Amino acid sequence: MASLKLFLKSSVGRKFLVAVTGLGLSGFVLTHMAGNLLMFVRPEAYNTYGHKLTSTPLIYLAEAGLLAMFLIHMGLALKLALENRTARAMGPSQNPSTCEKSARFGSQYMALTGVLVLVFVILHLISFKYGTYYAVTYNGVEMRDLHRLVIEKFKLPLYTGWYLVSMLVLFVHLAHGFSASFQSLGLFSVRNCLIKKLGWAFAFLVAGGFFIQPIYGYFYGGN
Amino acid sequence: MKLKLKIWRQEGPSSPGKFVDYDMDHVSPDMSFLEMLDVLNVGLVKKGETPVEFDHDCREGICGSCALMINGNAHGPETGTATCQLHMRRFKDGDSVIIEPWRAKAFPVIKDLATDRTAFDRIMAAGGFISTNTGNAPEANSILIGHDTAESAMDSAACIGCGACVAACKNSSAMLFVSAKVSHLAQLPQGHPERAKRVRGMVTQMDNEGFGNCSNTGACEAACPKEIKLENITRLNREMVRAVFKD
């Protein structure tokens, strides 16, 4: 028990937790993206999926778990980032990332991209989860017409633009975060070719999936 | 060859530092970087000025003393070499060269370009050794170690503890250094009895010294004069997890 406490207090242990929760959240964005693809099938499929998901009592458990992962991930990452700032004291007059001996691109901006993703998530919840409630009835079952709200939002150029920029930010965050998690867990190095490619592929898949939906909504929405 | 040097000058640990410009003339491309600084210092002494303080010892890339941030690169633009192995032929006539000390809270500046890196010694004292009485050289065949394991442990052991990893890291993290030292002994049977205690002790000391946390950027690996691999950091993380379940 004492060794577990020491582990969780150490920099390595805290990074371990950031990695575990990060991978958990990665799983969430992947399923969220996959669920959203139902909008290409037909509005009914999309709305029924949303209805089924929210009408089970398990949703509260899932939401609580998700919120806990979010809080642990953000809280620890923020604390670690602040410690890093203190440890730096004063940076060199030239940034090493612009020189020959460079670091991975996304890795330099994890805190910034993380905060931007957080801002997106909050506004996203306000727009959709707590947004306008349209009702629709399929086979006698009344449910929320989320499809209508989504299309309505993506008809607004500013909203769509902002959404796309946020997905680019998510891409940068995931491209480093996903593969780096495996290093923090002590499983694979980020230099491992397969893990590196997997990280890019995962980020591309998730961000790409989220990317086509607003574009579809903007150009073809409702038709 | 002419060079414009911009060197960090700082009287002592608590005094504020600043960049001072020096114009160098007749720099031979065959000089090493440290020889170029020697020539600068001879000139400064002749003029009655205080020479620039910098660390150096073996000048052949094995002691880990030299530690200069050159144009934003730890140990200069060359990969896999220490500052002492950098030659002036890497620069062009008229180049500006910014020379700074390692920048990290855990490495306070002693004077000018010389930093106090005893934090690394304290990390080593917290577990970077094996507690056996070695006595005479033992019979080589009594403990068999596979070739690949021996090579991998030797690659980790190649770390010279110069601190370039800390200097290159945006978080001033010492993970590459600590991981190399932990990896070296974790891979060999002689290191196994104290495996868990070692990694716990060294990581705790590293955190206490005020180094930052690893964010897996890979800047350390790129800057390392001994080309210590990031795989060592993965192994250190694994060793820390393993230590939770051992003694």
Side-chain angles (χ1 to χ4, degrees):
Chain A
M1 205 60 206
S3 55
L4 181 67
K5 208 171 151 192
L6 187 136
F7 174 73
L8 293 177
K9 268 173 73 181
S10 73
S11 55
V12 173
R14 287 180 293 157
K15 288 288 303 181
F16 186 91
L17 286 180
V18 171
V20 169
T21 50
L23 283 180
L25 293 169
S26 298
F28 165 71
V29 287
L30 181 68
T31 47
H32 187 347
M33 186 280 292
N36 278 13
L37 291 178
L38 284 172
M39 79 182 271
F40 296 118
V41 180
R42 58 182 193 279
E44 192 183 333
Y46 187 75
N47 287 332
T48 314
Y49 169 70
H51 180 70
K52 283 216 170 120
L53 212 58
T54 48
S55 52
T56 152
L58 281 177
I59 190 71
Y60 296 109
L61 194 69
E63 278 181 345
L66 202 57
L67 184 68
M69 280 200 290
F70 247 114
L71 291 179
I72 295 171
H73 189 76
M74 282 183 319
L76 285 178
L78 196 70
K79 177 121 199 315
L80 290 163
L82 288 177
E83 283 176 14
N84 294 343
R85 221 157 238 237
T86 322
R88 194 56 173 154
M90 172 189 184
S93 57
Q94 276 187 319
N95 190 349
S97 66
T98 61
C99 302
E100 288 92 333
K101 296 178 177 179
S102 68
R104 284 161 60 92
F105 170 71
S107 69
Q108 305 289 298
Y109 311 103
M110 288 307 273
L112 178 70
T113 51
V115 168
L116 290 175
V117 168
L118 173 68
V119 172
F120 171 79
V121 167
I122 294 170
L123 293 175
H124 185 69
L125 285 176
I126 295 171
S127 306
F128 294 113
K129 191 173 165 65
Y130 302 107
T132 324
Y133 189 99
Y134 295 119
V136 69
T137 311
Y138 299 119
N139 302 327
V141 184
E142 195 190 291
M143 58 183 76
R144 190 176 180 191
D145 192 357
L146 204 57
H147 186 266
R148 184 174 156 194
L149 179 65
V150 168
I151 295 298
E152 204 175 89
K153 288 279 178 197
F154 289 148
K155 280 280 174 209
L156 310 169
L158 257 182
Y159 186 86
T160 305
W162 170 75
Y163 191 96
L164 292 179
V165 170
S166 299
M167 287 310 108
L168 274 181
V169 170
L170 180 68
F171 174 79
V172 174
H173 196 76
L174 284 178
H176 174 69
F178 187 76
S179 53
S181 297
F182 292 100
Q183 179 161 312
S184 294
L185 295 177
L187 297 174
F188 306 100
S189 157
V190 287
R191 287 280 192 261
N192 180 313
C193 212
L194 197 69
I195 286 296
K196 210 168 160 178
K197 280 183 192 155
L198 192 69
W200 283 106
F202 182 81
F204 191 77
L205 180 73
V206 171
F210 279 130
F211 221 83
I212 50 175
Q213 291 150 17
I215 294 176
Y216 166 80
Y218 185 68
F219 288 107
Y220 306 104
N223 304 313
Chain B
M1 179 158 102
K2 282 185 182 177
L3 288 177
K4 278 187 192 311
L5 303 182
K6 205 175 167 128
I7 301 180
W8 185 262
R9 303 296 310 256
Q10 186 171 337
E11 264 308 305
S14 49
S15 40
K18 64 172 193 303
F19 281 106
V20 178
D21 293 331
Y22 297 97
D23 286 319
M24 287 290 286
D25 208 349
H26 306 297
V27 174
S28 156
D30 297 328
M31 278 178 179
S32 77
F33 198 84
L34 296 183
E35 280 166 345
M36 184 273 295
L37 287 180
D38 290 338
V39 172
L40 169 77
N41 276 346
V42 168
L44 289 177
V45 170
K46 271 187 189 161
K47 281 196 277 181
E49 291 176 33
T50 321
V52 178
E53 194 90 20
F54 63 93
D55 284 325
H56 60 99
D57 191 17
C58 76
R59 298 203 176 198
E60 53 187 25
I62 53 170
C63 76
S65 296
C66 56
L68 297 179
M69 204 70 173
I70 302 160
N71 287 344
N73 285 317
H75 290 304
E78 217 78 75
T79 53
T81 52
T83 303
C84 58
Q85 296 162 291
L86 176 65
H87 285 78
M88 298 317 293
R89 64 182 82 99
R90 191 68 173 70
F91 298 89
K92 292 192 302 288
D93 188 34
D95 271 0
S96 308
V97 186
I98 303 173
I99 311 170
E100 294 169 85
W102 286 168
R103 305 280 195 195
K105 201 139 208 192
F107 288 160
V109 170
I110 300 170
K111 194 178 181 195
D112 299 334
L113 304 171
T115 48
D116 178 359
R117 284 169 280 166
T118 49
F120 271 11
D121 299 337
R122 290 188 290 274
I123 293 174
M124 287 304 278
F129 51 82
I130 57 165
S131 312
T132 46
N133 193 353
T134 47
N136 290 330
E139 157 59 36
N141 291 323
S142 57
I143 303 174
L144 295 174
I145 299 165
H147 176 76
D148 291 346
T149 310
E151 284 295 330
S152 175
M154 187 60 207
D155 285 347
S156 302
C159 168
I160 52 176
C162 63
C165 44
V166 175
C169 176
K170 74 180 178 67
N171 309 330
S172 297
S173 167
M175 282 285 275
L176 195 67
F177 165 75
V178 176
S179 69
K181 298 302 175 192
V182 165
S183 285
H184 161 211
L185 294 172
Q187 292 178 82
L188 298 174
Q190 291 90 338
H192 286 176
E194 291 159 300
R195 204 167 164 184
K197 192 176 154 207
R198 173 179 309 112
V199 68
R200 275 202 294 262
M202 292 181 82
V203 167
T204 306
Q205 189 62 34
M206 170 184 83
D207 291 345
N208 291 344
E209 291 291 346
F211 289 104
N213 310 294
C214 176
S215 51
N216 308 319
T217 71
C220 52
E221 185 190 49
C224 179
K226 293 293 140 189
E227 301 181 316
I228 301 290
K229 298 285 170 231
L230 275 186
E231 277 79 3
N232 289 290
I233 296 185
T234 316
R235 194 180 289 109
L236 169 65
N237 291 333
R238 194 157 60 232
E239 286 294 312
M240 255 321 250
V241 177
R242 192 184 167 277
V244 174
F245 304 101
K246 303 279 168 180
D247 39 280

